[in-house]
Amino acid sequence: MATRVLHRSFCGLSEAKNMSGMKGQVARFSRGVPACNRDREESWFKSLFVRKVDPRKDAHSHLLAKKEESNLYKIQFHNVKPECLDSYNKLCEGVLPSIHADTYYPCELVGTWNTWYGEQDQAVHLWRYRGGYPALTEVMNKLRNNKEFMEYRKERGKMLLSRRNQLLLEFSFWNEPVPRPGPNIYELRSYQLRPGTMIEWGNYWARAIRYRQHNREAVGGFFSQIGSLYMVHHLWAYKDLQSREATRNAAWHHEGWNEAVYYTVPLIQHMESRIMIPMKSSPLL
């Protein structure tokens, strides 16, 4: 029995020695691998978990906006006290068209509306500044010295519950908004995109917009620069709600429209539609 015990002990020691030798060989093999190979293996392993980012040569605003013109747009949303809406409209109609018509100010009133369906008791104004940010700054400085405008702002403040604005650029593949006769209703469709998807959105809509030109319904397409970011606004014009439905349904008969919808819907975090009625002084009627 003592012999068997000694035999087992000897075998155990031999196995332990062999394992120790193997570990030493593995360690020596690892130390013998060139550093460049180890770095390559580590880099490959990390690439399984880290998303690569392709370097971009330019900001998406430069890639998507019209290059031949340096137009900047401002959209204003004014939530008006319900009892003040008529007075607010009259106040705007008395002041905003005069600024639009005065060449002293390098800006144009593209359109001004009241929301019909969507957020109630709301006014929406869209301005264009030809010359970009310098034109915007020039207009702001000049209006501070305009007594009529400053009085307008004072009276307007008494009628509002809240207000917000955004600075926008126009997509290169959309129409530039131009005055059109009425009567029309306008739909402002606003999309909050997932950050980082603006280029993808632009690529799909550059093809999709041609399916929405048959009834001249496309008015303008914009994306935000200041304010709520990764916001897209599409502005459409229709004769009435029935023609809106017919025009939108007709788009599905064009090959390629369903593909554009399929690939752009996942890019959206939130979307909103406003049906708007032009004010009497709006260039877009």
Side-chain angles (χ1 to χ4, degrees), residues 76-80 85 88-89 113-116 118-124 162 164 188 272 274 276 279:
Q76 298 173 303
F77 300 96
H78 291 173
N79 292 318
V80 186
L85 187 59
Y88 172 90
N89 288 344
W113 303 268
N114 287 135
T115 301
W116 185 20
E119 248 182 294
Q120 296 293 284
D121 304 309
Q122 185 181 72
V124 180
S162 64
R164 62 186 176 90
L188 182 67
E272 183 178 6
R274 292 175 176 84
M276 308 184 301
M279 292 187 190

mmCIF file of all heavy atoms in Angstrom, residues 76-80 85 88-89 113-116 118-124 162 164 188 272 274 276 279:
data_model
loop_
_atom_site.group_PDB
_atom_site.id
_atom_site.type_symbol
_atom_site.label_atom_id
_atom_site.label_comp_id
_atom_site.label_asym_id
_atom_site.label_seq_id
_atom_site.Cartn_x
_atom_site.Cartn_y
_atom_site.Cartn_z
ATOM 1 N N GLN A 76 -40.658 81.408 -36.844
ATOM 2 C CA GLN A 76 -41.126 81.837 -35.525
ATOM 3 C C GLN A 76 -42.450 81.145 -35.222
ATOM 4 O O GLN A 76 -43.337 81.082 -36.077
ATOM 5 C CB GLN A 76 -41.330 83.354 -35.495
ATOM 6 C CG GLN A 76 -40.071 84.173 -35.742
ATOM 7 C CD GLN A 76 -40.390 85.655 -35.876
ATOM 8 O OE1 GLN A 76 -41.186 86.052 -36.720
ATOM 9 N NE2 GLN A 76 -39.779 86.465 -35.027
ATOM 10 N N PHE A 77 -42.568 80.648 -34.007
ATOM 11 C CA PHE A 77 -43.809 80.062 -33.513
ATOM 12 C C PHE A 77 -44.282 80.889 -32.329
ATOM 13 O O PHE A 77 -43.601 80.943 -31.294
ATOM 14 C CB PHE A 77 -43.594 78.609 -33.092
ATOM 15 C CG PHE A 77 -43.106 77.710 -34.192
ATOM 16 C CD1 PHE A 77 -41.759 77.444 -34.343
ATOM 17 C CD2 PHE A 77 -44.005 77.132 -35.074
ATOM 18 C CE1 PHE A 77 -41.305 76.621 -35.359
ATOM 19 C CE2 PHE A 77 -43.563 76.302 -36.093
ATOM 20 C CZ PHE A 77 -42.211 76.049 -36.243
ATOM 21 N N HIS A 78 -45.442 81.533 -32.469
ATOM 22 C CA HIS A 78 -45.992 82.379 -31.415
ATOM 23 C C HIS A 78 -47.299 81.763 -30.924
ATOM 24 O O HIS A 78 -48.252 81.619 -31.710
ATOM 25 C CB HIS A 78 -46.253 83.794 -31.928
ATOM 26 C CG HIS A 78 -45.006 84.561 -32.222
ATOM 27 N ND1 HIS A 78 -45.022 85.803 -32.835
ATOM 28 C CD2 HIS A 78 -43.699 84.278 -31.989
ATOM 29 C CE1 HIS A 78 -43.769 86.244 -32.956
ATOM 30 N NE2 HIS A 78 -42.966 85.326 -32.455
ATOM 31 N N ASN A 79 -47.336 81.388 -29.660
ATOM 32 C CA ASN A 79 -48.563 80.888 -29.046
ATOM 33 C C ASN A 79 -49.294 82.064 -28.409
ATOM 34 O O ASN A 79 -48.800 82.686 -27.468
ATOM 35 C CB ASN A 79 -48.245 79.817 -28.006
ATOM 36 C CG ASN A 79 -47.691 78.556 -28.649
ATOM 37 O OD1 ASN A 79 -48.181 78.117 -29.682
ATOM 38 N ND2 ASN A 79 -46.660 77.977 -28.052
ATOM 39 N N VAL A 80 -50.477 82.364 -28.949
ATOM 40 C CA VAL A 80 -51.206 83.587 -28.622
ATOM 41 C C VAL A 80 -52.321 83.275 -27.624
ATOM 42 O O VAL A 80 -52.940 82.199 -27.683
ATOM 43 C CB VAL A 80 -51.805 84.204 -29.906
ATOM 44 C CG1 VAL A 80 -52.451 85.546 -29.608
ATOM 45 C CG2 VAL A 80 -50.718 84.363 -30.981
ATOM 46 N N LEU A 85 -56.187 86.635 -30.329
ATOM 47 C CA LEU A 85 -55.714 86.203 -31.643
ATOM 48 C C LEU A 85 -56.080 87.204 -32.742
ATOM 49 O O LEU A 85 -55.235 87.533 -33.595
ATOM 50 C CB LEU A 85 -56.278 84.819 -31.978
ATOM 51 C CG LEU A 85 -55.721 84.175 -33.257
ATOM 52 C CD1 LEU A 85 -54.207 84.012 -33.174
ATOM 53 C CD2 LEU A 85 -56.395 82.827 -33.519
ATOM 54 N N TYR A 88 -53.907 90.245 -32.377
ATOM 55 C CA TYR A 88 -52.533 89.894 -32.755
ATOM 56 C C TYR A 88 -52.389 89.913 -34.277
ATOM 57 O O TYR A 88 -51.415 90.464 -34.819
ATOM 58 C CB TYR A 88 -52.176 88.519 -32.188
ATOM 59 C CG TYR A 88 -50.854 87.976 -32.691
ATOM 60 C CD1 TYR A 88 -49.671 88.247 -32.022
ATOM 61 C CD2 TYR A 88 -50.800 87.194 -33.849
ATOM 62 C CE1 TYR A 88 -48.465 87.760 -32.500
ATOM 63 C CE2 TYR A 88 -49.600 86.706 -34.328
ATOM 64 C CZ TYR A 88 -48.435 86.995 -33.648
ATOM 65 O OH TYR A 88 -47.238 86.507 -34.122
ATOM 66 N N ASN A 89 -53.346 89.306 -34.988
ATOM 67 C CA ASN A 89 -53.287 89.261 -36.452
ATOM 68 C C ASN A 89 -53.300 90.670 -37.046
ATOM 69 O O ASN A 89 -52.552 90.978 -37.985
ATOM 70 C CB ASN A 89 -54.438 88.441 -37.000
ATOM 71 C CG ASN A 89 -54.262 86.942 -36.744
ATOM 72 O OD1 ASN A 89 -53.162 86.486 -36.434
ATOM 73 N ND2 ASN A 89 -55.343 86.198 -36.866
ATOM 74 N N TRP A 113 -48.837 82.692 -41.093
ATOM 75 C CA TRP A 113 -50.026 81.846 -41.019
ATOM 76 C C TRP A 113 -50.569 81.773 -39.586
ATOM 77 O O TRP A 113 -49.860 82.042 -38.622
ATOM 78 C CB TRP A 113 -49.694 80.414 -41.451
ATOM 79 C CG TRP A 113 -49.110 80.243 -42.800
ATOM 80 C CD1 TRP A 113 -49.765 80.012 -43.974
ATOM 81 C CD2 TRP A 113 -47.711 80.247 -43.149
ATOM 82 N NE1 TRP A 113 -48.891 79.884 -45.012
ATOM 83 C CE2 TRP A 113 -47.618 80.019 -44.540
ATOM 84 C CE3 TRP A 113 -46.537 80.416 -42.413
ATOM 85 C CZ2 TRP A 113 -46.403 79.967 -45.213
ATOM 86 C CZ3 TRP A 113 -45.323 80.375 -43.079
ATOM 87 C CH2 TRP A 113 -45.261 80.145 -44.470
ATOM 88 N N ASN A 114 -51.822 81.348 -39.514
ATOM 89 C CA ASN A 114 -52.407 80.869 -38.257
ATOM 90 C C ASN A 114 -52.595 79.362 -38.378
ATOM 91 O O ASN A 114 -52.992 78.862 -39.444
ATOM 92 C CB ASN A 114 -53.763 81.510 -37.981
ATOM 93 C CG ASN A 114 -53.649 82.960 -37.554
ATOM 94 O OD1 ASN A 114 -54.390 83.823 -38.044
ATOM 95 N ND2 ASN A 114 -52.752 83.260 -36.637
ATOM 96 N N THR A 115 -52.306 78.638 -37.311
ATOM 97 C CA THR A 115 -52.500 77.193 -37.322
ATOM 98 C C THR A 115 -53.990 76.873 -37.231
ATOM 99 O O THR A 115 -54.692 77.372 -36.358
ATOM 100 C CB THR A 115 -51.745 76.536 -36.153
ATOM 101 O OG1 THR A 115 -50.353 76.835 -36.268
ATOM 102 C CG2 THR A 115 -51.926 75.032 -36.167
ATOM 103 N N TRP A 116 -54.447 76.039 -38.152
ATOM 104 C CA TRP A 116 -55.852 75.619 -38.202
ATOM 105 C C TRP A 116 -56.016 74.292 -37.474
ATOM 106 O O TRP A 116 -56.830 74.161 -36.569
ATOM 107 C CB TRP A 116 -56.277 75.524 -39.661
ATOM 108 C CG TRP A 116 -57.716 75.219 -39.900
ATOM 109 C CD1 TRP A 116 -58.759 75.390 -39.033
ATOM 110 C CD2 TRP A 116 -58.274 74.691 -41.105
ATOM 111 N NE1 TRP A 116 -59.933 75.015 -39.617
ATOM 112 C CE2 TRP A 116 -59.670 74.586 -40.901
ATOM 113 C CE3 TRP A 116 -57.743 74.327 -42.339
ATOM 114 C CZ2 TRP A 116 -60.532 74.099 -41.889
ATOM 115 C CZ3 TRP A 116 -58.601 73.856 -43.320
ATOM 116 C CH2 TRP A 116 -59.977 73.738 -43.099
ATOM 117 N N GLY A 118 -53.669 71.304 -35.469
ATOM 118 C CA GLY A 118 -52.388 71.160 -34.792
ATOM 119 C C GLY A 118 -52.443 71.981 -33.515
ATOM 120 O O GLY A 118 -53.467 71.987 -32.821
ATOM 121 N N GLU A 119 -51.385 72.702 -33.212
ATOM 122 C CA GLU A 119 -51.395 73.581 -32.042
ATOM 123 C C GLU A 119 -52.332 74.757 -32.292
ATOM 124 O O GLU A 119 -52.171 75.484 -33.259
ATOM 125 C CB GLU A 119 -49.971 74.080 -31.742
ATOM 126 C CG GLU A 119 -49.432 73.519 -30.442
ATOM 127 C CD GLU A 119 -48.048 74.049 -30.108
ATOM 128 O OE1 GLU A 119 -47.130 73.726 -30.866
ATOM 129 O OE2 GLU A 119 -47.922 74.760 -29.102
ATOM 130 N N GLN A 120 -53.278 74.945 -31.400
ATOM 131 C CA GLN A 120 -54.292 75.976 -31.595
ATOM 132 C C GLN A 120 -53.797 77.349 -31.133
ATOM 133 O O GLN A 120 -52.871 77.458 -30.324
ATOM 134 C CB GLN A 120 -55.563 75.601 -30.829
ATOM 135 C CG GLN A 120 -56.215 74.322 -31.336
ATOM 136 C CD GLN A 120 -56.763 74.479 -32.742
ATOM 137 O OE1 GLN A 120 -57.807 75.094 -32.944
ATOM 138 N NE2 GLN A 120 -56.053 73.933 -33.718
ATOM 139 N N ASP A 121 -54.443 78.397 -31.693
ATOM 140 C CA ASP A 121 -54.120 79.789 -31.329
ATOM 141 C C ASP A 121 -52.618 80.052 -31.485
ATOM 142 O O ASP A 121 -51.976 80.643 -30.621
ATOM 143 C CB ASP A 121 -54.572 80.095 -29.887
ATOM 144 C CG ASP A 121 -56.047 79.822 -29.675
ATOM 145 O OD1 ASP A 121 -56.860 80.312 -30.477
ATOM 146 O OD2 ASP A 121 -56.387 79.098 -28.711
ATOM 147 N N GLN A 122 -52.113 79.634 -32.602
ATOM 148 C CA GLN A 122 -50.676 79.778 -32.885
ATOM 149 C C GLN A 122 -50.477 80.510 -34.204
ATOM 150 O O GLN A 122 -51.228 80.310 -35.164
ATOM 151 C CB GLN A 122 -49.997 78.415 -32.951
ATOM 152 C CG GLN A 122 -48.485 78.477 -33.114
ATOM 153 C CD GLN A 122 -47.865 77.091 -33.204
ATOM 154 O OE1 GLN A 122 -48.020 76.405 -34.205
ATOM 155 N NE2 GLN A 122 -47.166 76.691 -32.157
ATOM 156 N N ALA A 123 -49.467 81.366 -34.235
ATOM 157 C CA ALA A 123 -49.052 82.036 -35.462
ATOM 158 C C ALA A 123 -47.658 81.542 -35.842
ATOM 159 O O ALA A 123 -46.811 81.314 -34.971
ATOM 160 C CB ALA A 123 -49.040 83.546 -35.281
ATOM 161 N N VAL A 124 -47.435 81.385 -37.144
ATOM 162 C CA VAL A 124 -46.147 80.927 -37.665
ATOM 163 C C VAL A 124 -45.689 81.938 -38.709
ATOM 164 O O VAL A 124 -46.441 82.273 -39.634
ATOM 165 C CB VAL A 124 -46.250 79.524 -38.294
ATOM 166 C CG1 VAL A 124 -44.891 79.079 -38.833
ATOM 167 C CG2 VAL A 124 -46.784 78.519 -37.280
ATOM 168 N N SER A 162 -46.300 82.221 -25.179
ATOM 169 C CA SER A 162 -44.907 81.774 -25.353
ATOM 170 C C SER A 162 -44.518 81.977 -26.803
ATOM 171 O O SER A 162 -45.377 82.166 -27.671
ATOM 172 C CB SER A 162 -44.746 80.300 -24.973
ATOM 173 O OG SER A 162 -45.492 79.475 -25.847
ATOM 174 N N ARG A 164 -41.058 80.856 -29.689
ATOM 175 C CA ARG A 164 -39.755 80.219 -29.955
ATOM 176 C C ARG A 164 -39.433 80.399 -31.422
ATOM 177 O O ARG A 164 -40.321 80.672 -32.246
ATOM 178 C CB ARG A 164 -39.752 78.743 -29.568
ATOM 179 C CG ARG A 164 -40.735 77.882 -30.323
ATOM 180 C CD ARG A 164 -40.773 76.464 -29.780
ATOM 181 N NE ARG A 164 -41.778 75.647 -30.436
ATOM 182 C CZ ARG A 164 -41.569 74.927 -31.519
ATOM 183 N NH1 ARG A 164 -40.345 74.904 -32.070
ATOM 184 N NH2 ARG A 164 -42.530 74.212 -32.073
ATOM 185 N N LEU A 188 -47.272 72.292 -42.684
ATOM 186 C CA LEU A 188 -45.885 72.294 -42.215
ATOM 187 C C LEU A 188 -45.656 70.985 -41.481
ATOM 188 O O LEU A 188 -46.209 70.759 -40.408
ATOM 189 C CB LEU A 188 -45.620 73.479 -41.288
ATOM 190 C CG LEU A 188 -44.180 73.610 -40.776
ATOM 191 C CD1 LEU A 188 -43.222 73.936 -41.914
ATOM 192 C CD2 LEU A 188 -44.092 74.676 -39.682
ATOM 193 N N GLU A 272 -44.499 65.968 -36.525
ATOM 194 C CA GLU A 272 -45.684 66.766 -36.243
ATOM 195 C C GLU A 272 -46.177 67.419 -37.528
ATOM 196 O O GLU A 272 -45.387 67.801 -38.386
ATOM 197 C CB GLU A 272 -45.346 67.845 -35.206
ATOM 198 C CG GLU A 272 -46.525 68.696 -34.774
ATOM 199 C CD GLU A 272 -46.143 69.723 -33.712
ATOM 200 O OE1 GLU A 272 -44.927 69.840 -33.408
ATOM 201 O OE2 GLU A 272 -47.048 70.391 -33.194
ATOM 202 N N ARG A 274 -48.832 70.463 -39.040
ATOM 203 C CA ARG A 274 -49.701 71.617 -38.825
ATOM 204 C C ARG A 274 -50.391 71.960 -40.142
ATOM 205 O O ARG A 274 -49.733 72.076 -41.165
ATOM 206 C CB ARG A 274 -48.904 72.851 -38.377
ATOM 207 C CG ARG A 274 -48.281 72.801 -37.014
ATOM 208 C CD ARG A 274 -47.436 74.055 -36.806
ATOM 209 N NE ARG A 274 -46.876 74.142 -35.468
ATOM 210 C CZ ARG A 274 -45.749 73.546 -35.097
ATOM 211 N NH1 ARG A 274 -45.060 72.824 -35.982
ATOM 212 N NH2 ARG A 274 -45.303 73.677 -33.861
ATOM 213 N N MET A 276 -52.193 75.049 -41.854
ATOM 214 C CA MET A 276 -52.142 76.481 -41.574
ATOM 215 C C MET A 276 -52.914 77.268 -42.630
ATOM 216 O O MET A 276 -52.950 76.894 -43.807
ATOM 217 C CB MET A 276 -50.686 76.952 -41.525
ATOM 218 C CG MET A 276 -49.794 76.136 -40.591
ATOM 219 S SD MET A 276 -48.097 76.771 -40.453
ATOM 220 C CE MET A 276 -47.543 76.692 -42.162
ATOM 221 N N MET A 279 -52.354 84.396 -43.316
ATOM 222 C CA MET A 279 -52.904 85.690 -42.952
ATOM 223 C C MET A 279 -53.086 86.538 -44.217
ATOM 224 O O MET A 279 -52.518 86.228 -45.273
ATOM 225 C CB MET A 279 -51.957 86.430 -41.984
ATOM 226 C CG MET A 279 -51.844 85.798 -40.622
ATOM 227 S SD MET A 279 -50.872 86.850 -39.490
ATOM 228 C CE MET A 279 -50.648 85.718 -38.107
#
